[in-house]
Amino acid sequence: MTSQLKTVFLLAALSAIIIFLGGMIGGRMGIIIAFGFAILMNVGSYWYSDRIVLSMYRARELGPDESPFLHEIVSDLARNAGIPKPRIFVVPEQAPNAFATGRDPEHSVVAVTDGILRLLSPQELRGVVAHEVGHIVNRDILIQTVAGVMASAIVTLANMLQFSAIFGGNRENGSSGISAIFLALLAPVAAGLIQMAISRSREYLADATGARLCGQPLALAGALYKLAAASGQTPLAHGNPSTAEIFIVTPLFARDGGIARLFSTHPPIEERISRLRELAASR
């Protein structure tokens, strides 16, 4: 399935959940309002999702004079990838992580946390940035960011539905308080599963693309190993579950195993490292 078809499928599915929740909250009028809300979210997410995510994580743009080495890395990798140089942002978080956002390569951003700049070696940092540039080259960043913004809207509507259920549910469609609460709990889970189903394959692809761009698959593998260990000890202090898939490693779960692994938007770190090692051995 092409990236464009994945985008259409994801937006349609998430929009359907938003409309359904609107109907549960307000009947026919709720569906109309939710339909308009879904259109607004799609258009707004396309144009402003990068600003929303950067604001959510209190990121600030990093000037060339503040980190010449990082700017050099991004410039070199963007040149290798044949895209304009992305803007660079830093997130004030001790947890080591990184993400890319923006609607297309001409309006892209690479964001890194304070923690990752202190944790990784120069070669490993280059591998991480290459992974994020890989997302930009593969045009993954729009679908990731839009999905996160719309999932946040679904969580908000689900909370509204639970609040509405306390007062007897929606009389127009005959929904009971119990069924409304059940659906309010189910909708965010469904949204998360939709995100997860598409996100994992993109992470593998970004790893492979990033390894090609930086020319050092083992450097990226070493970075992933360090990031997984460190994020397990220090998850993001202000992390939002609806945007977890945009990060290079899952930012919220304390351990990459058990239930966390089952519902994680990211493939297992061990599998990602194994694939990178196989790629390095085949070079």
Side-chain angles (χ1 to χ4, degrees):
M1 184 182 293
T2 66
S3 177
Q4 291 83 355
L5 288 177
K6 288 180 180 178
T7 302
V8 171
F9 170 77
L10 178 59
L11 295 182
L14 293 178
S15 297
I17 295 175
I18 290 175
I19 294 169
F20 178 75
L21 289 175
M24 291 295 298
I25 294 172
R28 285 188 292 271
M29 182 56 67
I31 290 176
I32 294 173
I33 294 173
F35 181 73
F37 183 60
I39 293 176
L40 181 64
M41 287 296 299
N42 282 324
V43 174
S45 295
Y46 179 80
W47 289 104
Y48 302 111
S49 56
D50 54 343
R51 301 182 192 179
I52 294 172
V53 171
L54 292 170
S55 175
M56 184 183 299
Y57 288 102
R58 302 175 298 159
R60 67 174 181 85
E61 190 161 5
L62 196 64
D65 56 327
E66 295 181 85
S67 183
F69 177 68
L70 182 57
H71 274 268
E72 182 181 347
I73 288 176
V74 175
S75 295
D76 182 52
L77 292 170
R79 186 166 48 252
N80 291 348
I83 62 170
K85 177 189 174 186
R87 296 158 65 199
I88 305 172
F89 280 70
V90 62
V91 177
E93 284 273 1
Q94 299 305 309
N97 225 314
F99 65 87
T101 186
R103 65 181 182 271
D104 55 42
E106 288 71 34
H107 302 86
S108 59
V109 168
V110 170
V112 296
T113 65
D114 285 327
I116 202 172
L117 295 176
R118 287 191 292 269
L119 177 69
L120 300 183
S121 70
Q123 294 78 14
E124 291 166 343
L125 181 61
R126 181 180 171 86
V128 166
V129 174
H131 170 97
E132 299 306 334
V133 172
H135 276 306
I136 297 170
V137 171
N138 298 331
R139 298 183 179 268
D140 294 332
I141 54 177
L142 173 63
I143 191 172
Q144 289 175 319
T145 310
V146 169
V149 172
M150 295 189 71
S152 294
I154 288 172
V155 172
T156 299
L157 287 173
N159 290 335
M160 291 173 61
L161 179 57
Q162 291 186 66
F163 180 80
S164 174
I166 296 176
F167 296 95
N170 178 8
R171 296 177 184 274
E172 183 176 339
N173 62 20
S175 61
S176 68
I178 294 177
S179 63
I181 291 174
F182 174 75
L183 291 171
L185 295 173
L186 183 62
V189 174
L193 290 175
I194 292 171
Q195 290 178 271
M196 181 190 70
I198 305 174
S199 176
R200 292 190 175 192
S201 62
R202 288 201 307 270
E203 289 303 315
Y204 285 131
L205 181 58
D207 284 343
T209 303
R212 175 178 57 82
L213 291 174
C214 72
Q216 296 179 301
L218 294 182
L220 177 54
L224 290 175
Y225 179 83
K226 284 186 179 180
L227 291 174
S231 63
Q233 299 296 323
T234 311
L236 284 178
H238 300 90
N240 188 316
S242 64
T243 58
E245 78 283 352
I246 71 173
F247 288 88
I248 187 169
V249 295
T250 185
L252 300 174
F253 298 121
R255 296 185 182 277
D256 188 26
I259 298 299
R261 172 175 295 187
L262 180 63
F263 289 98
S264 175
T265 54
H266 293 66
I269 287 292
E270 301 90 341
E271 179 61 26
R272 294 172 68 183
I273 291 174
S274 175
R275 292 191 182 199
L276 286 168
R277 287 175 175 168
E278 291 176 3
L279 184 61
S282 66
R283 291 173 67 87

